[in-house]
Amino acid sequence: MLPMDAKRNPDSYSYPNGMFNSGYIAGVLRKPDLVAGTCFIQQTRSENHMLPVHFDPKKSPIPRDITDGSLVMAYAHVEGATIDGQRIARLKSIRFEAPNFMHLGPRFHADLMQKWGAKVHEQAVDTGIPSAISALGEVPTAESAVRRDAFDWKALDLNKNSANHVKIAGFVQAKSLERNRIHADGQPMNDKLVVLLRQTADSSKCIPIRWYGRNLQPLADILQRGMPIVVSGEFRLDVKQIGEPSADQLIAPVSKIPYIQAKDMPGPVQPDSELIKMIPTW
């Protein structure tokens, strides 16, 4: 578990591989398995988009007063993995905690509530709005200036979404650009750029990061193998229907691929930035 004194020193938990890697996610705790060390954090009404989170039951357990359906905050690291040939991102929590006065500002309310207003697909499970989310508007909030002085906001430089944010630095391992994509309904789609960000000697554990946009060719041309970059993004699921609902139920089977969606353009890692504190030998 991440001790309280360590929380005030981002260096103690933000460099698991000598490179900056820190995440923060908030939502409703769902289906915790305290033995296997898995749970979900739900940020929308759709069960298909519940975000999977891993944790060490002994080192980083879920506090006993946080149960299924409770509002929860998780400090986490992003890991990469390759499952059946598919590159995925994994979120591993190093600390769970209940919401506190320093987090619950107007921006947090707006970001989280906006997600719960999203429409749910007719063939997915709609959980409605949990009581923990409904009660969120009744919790006192902190002034922005006071809240931004808190350690976690400083460490992550939170922007654009205070309920789901990750920031990672590493080296470009590989990239893939899809242009002129066409949706199943015949409509043109944005370009899709996937970059594998490497932080470890094991290249199978690269973290997949995605960008979507109208013309990503210039960005793809700039990003070269071995280039050190820093990225801010969100932990998301790519959910796709893979079959039709059975005759006795209306819920369609889906595939789910966890990944990091970049919020903006990547930045170069300058020598004096301290975002990368080690020179890898690989």
Side-chain angles (χ1 to χ4, degrees):
M1 177 180 289
L2 181 66
M4 284 300 297
D5 56 348
K7 287 174 58 181
R8 297 183 176 88
N9 178 19
D11 282 4
S12 68
Y13 63 88
S14 298
Y15 296 86
N17 298 296
M19 305 176 200
F20 196 91
N21 184 328
S22 195
Y24 176 93
I25 187 169
V28 177
L29 180 67
R30 294 296 311 279
K31 303 180 180 180
D33 187 326
L34 305 183
V35 176
T38 60
C39 67
F40 294 88
I41 292 183
Q42 187 174 2
Q43 293 191 317
T44 74
R45 294 168 54 150
S46 173
E47 280 201 353
N48 281 346
H49 289 271
M50 295 194 306
L51 302 172
V53 178
H54 299 260
F55 62 94
D56 188 315
K58 294 184 178 179
K59 295 181 179 179
S60 306
I62 299 175
R64 294 180 180 179
D65 59 338
I66 301 178
T67 58
D68 190 277
S70 298
L71 193 63
V72 67
M73 319 276 185
Y75 301 91
H77 294 146
V78 182
E79 301 175 339
T82 304
I83 307 297
D84 296 329
Q86 177 67 56
R87 299 281 191 166
I88 67 168
R90 296 178 61 185
L91 208 64
K92 185 172 183 179
S93 176
I94 56 175
R95 180 183 175 90
F96 293 98
E97 64 181 34
N100 62 68
F101 181 77
M102 297 307 296
H103 297 123
L104 300 178
R107 177 63 181 278
F108 179 93
H109 285 218
D111 287 343
L112 199 55
M113 293 307 295
Q114 182 179 20
K115 292 176 177 292
W116 287 93
K119 184 179 180 181
V120 180
H121 192 278
E122 61 182 6
Q123 294 179 344
V125 176
D126 184 346
T127 64
I129 299 180
S131 57
I133 295 297
S134 300
L136 189 59
E138 303 173 6
V139 180
T141 64
E143 294 297 328
S144 295
V146 176
R147 197 173 67 258
R148 286 199 63 84
D149 193 47
F151 65 91
D152 46 355
W153 288 69
K154 285 182 176 180
L156 285 174
D157 241 340
L158 293 180
N159 62 71
K160 300 182 181 178
N161 183 352
S162 63
N164 184 334
H165 185 87
V166 298
K167 183 176 179 180
I168 48 181
F171 295 87
V172 175
Q173 175 71 11
K175 61 185 177 182
S176 173
L177 175 64
E178 295 180 37
R179 302 205 65 192
N180 304 315
R181 300 191 305 148
I182 303 296
H183 194 272
D185 61 9
Q187 296 298 314
M189 299 171 64
N190 283 336
D191 290 357
K192 173 185 173 183
L193 173 64
V194 179
V195 169
L196 299 181
L197 195 67
R198 188 171 181 177
Q199 287 194 325
T200 69
D202 187 347
S203 61
S204 69
K205 295 182 178 180
C206 290
I207 301 169
I209 302 172
R210 299 185 187 184
W211 283 264
Y212 293 93
R214 295 185 63 180
N215 181 14
L216 295 178
Q217 186 70 59
L219 176 59
D221 291 342
I222 292 173
L223 297 176
Q224 299 297 318
R225 183 186 175 102
M227 178 182 292
I229 61 173
V230 59
V231 179
S232 293
E234 295 183 29
F235 181 56
R236 292 191 176 184
L237 289 181
D238 184 354
V239 179
K240 287 185 171 60
Q241 184 173 332
I242 56 175
E244 296 300 322
S246 61
D248 60 342
Q249 61 180 5
L250 301 177
I251 306 304
V254 297
S255 65
K256 303 176 184 179
I257 301 175
Y259 69 99
I260 301 300
Q261 179 160 329
K263 295 181 179 180
D264 44 32
M265 295 296 103
V269 175
Q270 304 296 340
D272 59 348
S273 69
E274 294 192 351
L275 290 169
I276 295 179
K277 296 190 174 185
M278 58 162 283
I279 304 299
T281 57
W282 32 266

